[in-house]
Amino acid sequence: MHSTERTAFASGYSALVAAVWSDPGRERLLAQDPRVLLAEHGIRVPVGTAVVVVRDRPAVSEVMAAQIRSWEEAAVSGRLTLFVPHPDPLDARDLAEEELDALVAGVGTPGFPGFPGIG
């Protein structure tokens, strides 16, 4: 796959995950007909390829690489594994006003490692 195809795929995949995370209707569509959801985000799946949705939460750094690999191999394997991890809920502890301000501003906040720009 060319880098432009990878970039287009990564962009569509990221938009798909964001849509599922933010819209219960898109999450239902993921469960009912993932091919339609993939098509809505510009991701073509070879004819005859089974789409298997995996909602387990793999390590964030590995999701995109695994997803691209699955997409590249789908035409040969006849199977596309679509990784759509569940979003991480924020820590349920009470935050001080300063911590909330920092979180909204996108600056470091202890207790939230792994969030870009935070912690």
Side-chain angles (χ1 to χ4, degrees):
M1 174 186 334
H2 298 314
S3 64
T4 55
E5 291 173 308
R6 278 194 181 115
T7 301
F9 175 82
S11 176
Y13 171 71
S14 296
L16 181 149
V17 172
V20 169
W21 284 2
S22 63
D23 182 348
R26 300 294 89 195
E27 188 164 12
R28 280 190 298 279
L29 185 57
L30 174 69
Q32 295 169 350
D33 196 347
R35 287 179 171 279
V36 170
L37 190 60
L38 286 159
E40 286 179 1
H41 294 281
I43 300 171
R44 293 180 301 169
V45 178
V47 175
T49 301
V51 177
V52 178
V53 177
V54 175
R55 296 301 311 265
D56 293 342
R57 180 142 175 68
V60 174
S61 62
E62 299 171 5
V63 173
M64 185 62 76
Q67 188 60 73
I68 289 173
R69 193 170 38 257
S70 179
W71 184 63
E72 288 176 331
E73 296 170 355
V76 175
S77 70
R79 174 186 167 129
L80 171 66
T81 301
L82 180 60
F83 299 101
V84 183
H86 292 283
D88 279 336
L90 287 176
D91 192 336
R93 68 181 173 94
D94 290 329
L95 298 176
E97 188 171 337
E98 297 82 25
E99 291 175 308
L100 287 172
D101 290 342
L103 183 61
V104 171
V107 297
T109 301
F112 290 98
F115 283 87
I118 302 173

